[in-house]
Amino acid sequence: MAVSQRIRDYLAGASWIRKMFEEGAKLKAQYGVDRVCDFSLGNPDVPPPPSVKQALEELIREDAPSLHGYMPNAGFPFVREAMAIKVSKEQKTAVPMEHIVMTCGAAGALNVIFKALLEPGDEVIYPAPFFVEYKFYVENHQGIPKPVPSREDFSLDLGAIEAAIGPRTKAILINSPHNPTGQLYGDNELRELAQLLEKKSQEMGRPLYLISDEPYRNLVFDGLETPAIFPLYPHSIVVSSFSKELSLPGERIGFLALHPEAEGKEELMAAFVLANRILGFVNAPALAQRLAAKCAEEVVEVSIYERRRDLFCEILREAGLEFVKPKGAFYIFPKTPIDDVEFCRLLQEELILAVPGRGFGGPGHIRLAFCVDESYIERSREGFKRAVEKAKKL
Ligand SMILES: Cc1ncc(COP(=O)(O)O)c(C=O)c1O
């Protein structure tokens, strides 16, 4: 066999997801792309702010020395400085530029962190439902993924987290605002999580690291703010990117920031920088780093996502589906009246593409991504109603 057993298992496990995508592609070929309401992809469609294009044009014209060259593996010092200023504000904690590593997106940052932290067999706990790629990122570095249930409203189940912590636990990974549910963890639950981790770290005589994956930090609705992690817990690492906030997912630009007081901070930072190099990322893309520095404080037009969220909530409510109203990101995760894969099939008959929740560790739900024009959401109104009616008759 040419391909490793692990990758063959991954390919086999993903086959039904692929099948759903293939069926969606068939529908588009048959009925025309415009007639299919495709809510399956988390690829932001809201354009980057106009300042991004302007900054890019300026950068090309600047003709700076080493515009496209290698730089230190952690990133250009002036870019790390700009990120340190951004993170210090967001985290309400002074973070020095030495605690920043520029990475190939949040995905790159997570891989760098796991490469640096994990011994084979070390466990990483994260709440379900979850971002599908977490499992792969943990296993890439011989770690063991340990998903734990969330509460009904997708808030943190601290009892489940506590029960899952054991001698091999190395880190807890959280994501807020959350993919796939749009949930935003509140100050109080984060404070309680921090207290739990503090207690457990003391019991174990070593720190449990808290990794906060925040690529949607500034995509929040209803005037809400994403709480800061750093003031709550010293052994924490923030991961973020410009994939969603600036709609630049293909440019692969993100960063990690280590708490200024984290235990083992010098060694950890050296390990992250080395991991960025030896994983083959070498460094985050040079041009995108410069762009991130220029546009660090910018965000896409969040009100567009908020309007779509409101419209989706109205349509799903009208169809009789139960859901938790998203507070951020661009996903909604309604409950399904029947098995989630079956319900996706019924939706397909209505030319609506959704992803079964079981793929995210949340069976009995579907994920709908609202990275599509509002007109598609509006057009799905009757289809949702009919699918629910059909489901009732089964
Ligand atoms: C929760 C979460 N984490 C990380 C990522 C990876 O983002 P990036 O493009 O910055 O690597 C995504 C992308 O969808 C995501 O939803």
Side-chain angles (χ1 to χ4, degrees), residues 42-44 103-110 130-134 137 174-180 213-216 239-244 248-250 252-255 330-331 367:
N43 193 7
T103 59
C104 294
L110 289 168
F130 42 72
F131 176 48
V132 180
E133 306 301 272
Y134 286 161
Y137 299 164
I174 58 171
N175 162 230
S176 175
H178 188 246
N179 176 7
D213 180 24
E214 306 183 352
Y216 305 93
V239 165
S240 195
S241 80
F242 295 92
S243 295
K244 322 288 170 173
L248 296 174
R252 312 308 306 132
I253 185 68
F255 59 88
F330 38 63
Y331 310 101
R367 190 192 75 168

Side-chain angles (χ1 to χ4, degrees), residues 74-245:
F76 289 115
F78 76 93
V79 178
R80 296 170 74 197
E81 188 75 60
M83 295 307 123
I85 293 169
K86 176 181 167 72
V87 173
S88 298
K89 263 191 228 155
E90 291 178 347
Q91 291 295 327
K92 303 176 169 50
T93 304
V95 179
M97 58 92 75
E98 291 78 11
H99 277 226
I100 306 283
V101 179
M102 299 307 296
T103 59
C104 294
L110 289 168
N111 275 279
V112 160
I113 292 167
F114 294 141
K115 176 80 177 168
L117 289 184
L118 300 181
E119 301 285 359
D122 276 354
E123 294 167 356
V124 178
I125 292 171
Y126 50 84
F130 42 72
F131 176 48
V132 180
E133 306 301 272
Y134 286 161
K135 167 188 159 72
F136 302 114
Y137 299 164
V138 171
E139 290 183 352
N140 280 346
H141 309 288
Q142 285 131 63
I144 311 284
K146 276 225 145 179
V148 297
S150 301
R151 300 211 312 225
E152 227 1 55
D153 64 354
F154 308 124
S155 58
L156 293 172
D157 184 339
L158 292 169
I161 293 175
E162 179 161 18
I165 295 175
R168 294 307 308 266
T169 306
K170 192 66 186 262
I172 318 295
L173 168 61
I174 58 171
N175 162 230
S176 175
H178 188 246
N179 176 7
T181 68
Q183 179 57 279
L184 179 75
Y185 300 141
D187 244 330
N188 283 344
E189 63 185 314
L190 290 171
R191 196 175 301 280
E192 283 174 29
L193 174 68
Q195 282 162 359
L196 170 66
L197 297 186
E198 199 77 71
K199 182 184 89 176
K200 286 287 177 183
S201 298
Q202 258 167 28
E203 276 171 27
M204 290 171 141
R206 63 178 173 85
L208 285 171
Y209 289 98
L210 175 62
I211 305 166
S212 183
D213 180 24
E214 306 183 352
Y216 305 93
R217 159 170 279 279
N218 291 304
L219 300 187
V220 279
F221 312 139
D222 310 318
L224 291 167
E225 210 183 290
T226 303
I229 292 289
F230 279 0
L232 303 178
Y233 189 64
H235 313 300
S236 50
I237 308 161
V238 164
V239 165
S240 195
S241 80
F242 295 92
S243 295
K244 322 288 170 173
E245 292 187 6

Side-chain angles (χ1 to χ4, degrees), residues 10-29:
Y10 286 167
L11 288 169
S15 66
W16 68 266
I17 298 181
R18 252 204 326 270
K19 203 157 160 262
M20 304 245 26
F21 280 118
E22 281 162 12
E23 283 169 18
K26 256 194 245 159
L27 286 182
K28 287 182 184 177

